[in-house]
Amino acid sequence: MKEKMKAINIILSAILSGTMLLTSCSDKKKDQATVQAKSDVKYTCPMHPQILEDHPGSCPICGMTLVKKSGQASEGAGISLNTILQPVNSSVISTINAITPEQKETLTEISAEGYLDFDSRTFNNIASRFSGRIEKLYIKYAFQEIRKGQRIFDIYSPDMVTAQQDLIYLIKNSAQETALINSAKQKLLLQGMTDEQVNQVIKTETPFYSLPVYSPYEGHVHDVAHSQMSGFKPIEMPSDFPNNLPLPIKEGMYVEKGQNLFNVVNPHMLWAIIKIDKTDIAHLKLSQPVKLTLPDIPGKAITGRVNFIEPTLRDRDKTVSIRVYLDNMDHSLKVNSLVKATIQTGKISGLWIPREAVVDLGRTKVVWLKKGALFQAHQVSIGTVDEKEVQIKSGLAATDSLASNAQYLSDSESFIKTKGNE
């Protein structure tokens, strides 16, 4: 009996030892499998796939949280349920490219549009110095070119006939009254007669019943109705506007003393009226170089300088107009032609980002600032804006990371909210 019990104990011990040995081998295999599984997990940056790490962390290039490359659950990605549930009008999860502001000195310029106009400094009025009837008119249409001293009309004036007869009477009957004769001659000269005309009256003792009037100016004739004396607002001419537009002053008409008959404009001098947006006013200065191009004349470029800056804003569009004085000796430039201007404003130092990285909400300017796995709406203050870049005055640092395209992250169904405009 004792030998039988001893045999049973030996068998049980052998079975127990075998079981423990099998269990130990199984645990070792499990540990080796776990180590192997951990070594197979790789973490990478969504923005820089060349970065591979065997542990969670941040990208050494952009600082973005690393995610598992093999598609496992991203336990170390740092994106929690609370992060995902953030409102899209203030926070967005995206893999869009991130950029940093660039600190640099940039040569800036202002692009604007305008039109050509007559230089009002060359405008001169021809007014009637006495009342009378137009007997003969030598100017037949608007924009007719005249020269200084050219005969422009003949007029019958009872007042001038009487003044000439007074001079003739004094010369015939009171030749010794030199003071009275000189006074009568001076009166005729002040009323517009020339020395030659007065001498002819004295010589022939016959008054001018149809008195010739000569132009004291040279240029193109504009009648008062079609004149651009304001110098600021272009005239809207109809499509069938004729080149030989008749003047309102016609032969046989009676004109009053002091009435404006014509405006004479020098066509050799023009100026370009350029409208500048109020955001660019601070960068405007006199004598800044200006390059003008005309869409109507491809390939033609004109250089000039800012000669005058208007001190007021336009009532409707809130722009400031500047003037660039131009020579037009060859008459190649036409009034009311549209022009495009590029004004060099100098070099500006500061932080610059692409224009598409900013969302313009009117008074508020917003960028999408990178915060870990999120892009958050952030308000900034901008300065100079050119064709490609925007100067950041405040709200960003050179080390900040932001979305390269702010419009791409903007939700069209909601209004962007930042701490500055909540």
Side-chain angles (χ1 to χ4, degrees):
M1 186 68 180
K2 289 182 179 181
E3 292 179 356
K4 186 178 182 179
M5 291 297 294
K6 186 177 180 180
I8 292 174
N9 289 335
I10 292 173
I11 294 172
L12 290 175
S13 298
I15 294 173
L16 180 61
S17 298
T19 302
M20 292 178 63
L21 181 60
L22 291 174
T23 303
S24 176
C25 292
S26 177
D27 290 341
K28 288 181 179 180
K29 290 182 180 180
K30 287 182 179 180
D31 291 341
Q32 291 176 356
T34 301
V35 172
Q36 181 67 26
K38 287 184 178 180
S39 62
D40 290 339
V41 176
K42 295 294 183 181
Y43 295 85
T44 185
C45 175
M47 302 300 302
H48 303 91
Q50 69 271 24
I51 302 299
L52 292 175
E53 300 287 349
D54 57 359
H55 57 80
S58 300
C59 176
I61 297 177
C62 65
M64 191 172 184
T65 303
L66 300 179
V67 297
K68 288 185 177 181
K69 180 178 179 62
S70 56
Q72 300 92 335
S74 54
E75 298 174 358
I79 303 177
S80 64
L81 181 60
N82 183 50
T83 299
I84 297 174
L85 295 178
Q86 292 290 327
V88 296
N89 60 357
S90 62
S91 300
V92 176
I93 300 175
S94 176
T95 58
I96 191 173
N97 291 338
I99 61 172
T100 57
E102 185 177 358
Q103 180 75 38
K104 62 180 180 178
E105 189 178 53
T106 302
L107 182 64
T108 59
E109 59 185 28
I110 299 173
S111 298
E113 296 182 348
Y115 59 91
L116 298 181
D117 201 354
F118 288 109
D119 189 340
S120 64
R121 298 174 301 172
T122 69
F123 285 9
N124 296 288
N125 288 333
I126 296 180
S128 177
R129 295 191 177 186
F130 38 80
S131 301
R133 183 180 66 250
I134 302 294
E135 296 291 328
K136 179 69 175 179
L137 188 62
Y138 299 96
I139 300 176
K140 301 299 184 180
Y141 53 88
F143 312 121
Q144 181 177 339
E145 187 174 2
I146 62 172
R147 301 179 306 276
K148 185 177 181 179
Q150 180 178 335
R151 191 172 183 176
I152 53 178
F153 62 85
D154 297 339
I155 185 171
Y156 166 72
S157 172
D159 295 338
M160 290 300 293
V161 172
T162 301
Q164 294 175 73
Q165 290 174 340
D166 290 343
L167 175 60
I168 295 172
Y169 179 83
L170 288 173
I171 292 174
K172 284 183 177 181
N173 300 288
S174 303
Q176 72 280 6
E177 298 292 342
T178 56
L180 290 177
I181 293 174
N182 289 335
S183 177
K185 290 170 61 177
Q186 188 66 23
K187 179 180 179 180
L188 293 175
L189 292 173
L190 292 175
Q191 287 184 318
M193 291 186 66
T194 64
D195 289 328
E196 292 77 9
Q197 289 174 331
V198 173
N199 292 333
Q200 184 175 348
V201 169
I202 295 174
K203 181 179 180 179
T204 62
E205 296 183 351
T206 302
F208 284 97
Y209 289 97
S210 183
L211 181 63
V213 176
Y214 302 92
S215 172
Y217 311 112
E218 180 176 354
H220 287 180
V221 174
H222 291 215
D223 65 90
V224 177
H226 297 92
S227 172
Q228 294 179 325
M229 289 297 291
S230 63
F232 299 109
K233 184 178 180 181
I235 295 174
E236 295 182 0
M237 297 297 185
S239 58
D240 57 348
F241 180 77
N243 293 326
N244 58 343
L245 182 70
L247 296 169
I249 302 298
K250 302 183 182 300
E251 294 178 355
M253 292 183 61
Y254 192 86
V255 295
E256 298 292 337
K257 181 178 180 180
Q259 178 180 344
N260 280 341
L261 304 180
F262 310 107
N263 293 320
V264 180
V265 179
N266 185 353
H268 299 146
M269 298 179 64
L270 303 179
W271 58 31
I273 306 296
I274 310 298
K275 293 185 176 182
I276 306 298
D277 190 81
K278 59 183 179 181
T279 58
D280 297 321
I281 295 175
H283 308 293
L284 274 180
K285 294 180 181 178
L286 291 175
S287 299
Q288 286 176 331
V290 181
K291 180 180 179 181
L292 300 175
T293 57
L294 290 82
D296 297 338
I297 311 178
K300 185 176 182 61
I302 307 171
T303 58
R305 293 190 175 273
V306 177
N307 297 110
F308 182 78
I309 303 174
E310 290 187 9
T312 59
L313 289 172
R314 291 291 173 188
D315 293 336
R316 295 182 180 179
D317 53 9
K318 298 302 180 183
T319 59
V320 166
S321 293
I322 66 170
R323 303 177 195 169
V324 180
Y325 301 150
L326 305 172
D327 291 329
N328 189 33
M329 300 304 295
D330 58 355
H331 296 264
S332 62
L333 304 179
K334 305 301 180 184
V335 170
N336 292 334
S337 295
L338 296 179
V339 295
K340 294 184 178 181
T342 302
I343 305 171
Q344 300 293 336
T345 57
K347 293 183 178 180
I348 297 181
S349 179
L351 287 176
W352 295 84
I353 62 175
R355 289 187 64 173
E356 57 268 19
V358 181
V359 179
D360 190 347
L361 302 179
R363 293 184 178 180
T364 304
K365 309 297 186 292
V366 173
V367 300
W368 290 96
L369 204 60
K370 190 174 186 332
K371 299 289 186 181
L374 283 176
F375 286 95
Q376 293 183 341
H378 181 72
Q379 184 174 343
V380 295
S381 175
I382 68 172
T384 302
V385 179
D386 62 19
E387 293 184 357
K388 296 182 179 180
E389 294 182 309
V390 178
Q391 181 195 20
I392 301 298
K393 288 180 137 183
S394 62
L396 282 182
T399 56
D400 287 334
S401 180
L402 63 148
S404 59
N405 192 326
Q407 298 291 344
Y408 182 77
L409 299 182
S410 302
D411 185 0
S412 61
E413 300 296 330
S414 61
F415 188 84
I416 299 175
K417 291 184 178 181
T418 66
K419 291 183 179 180
N421 62 4
E422 285 182 349

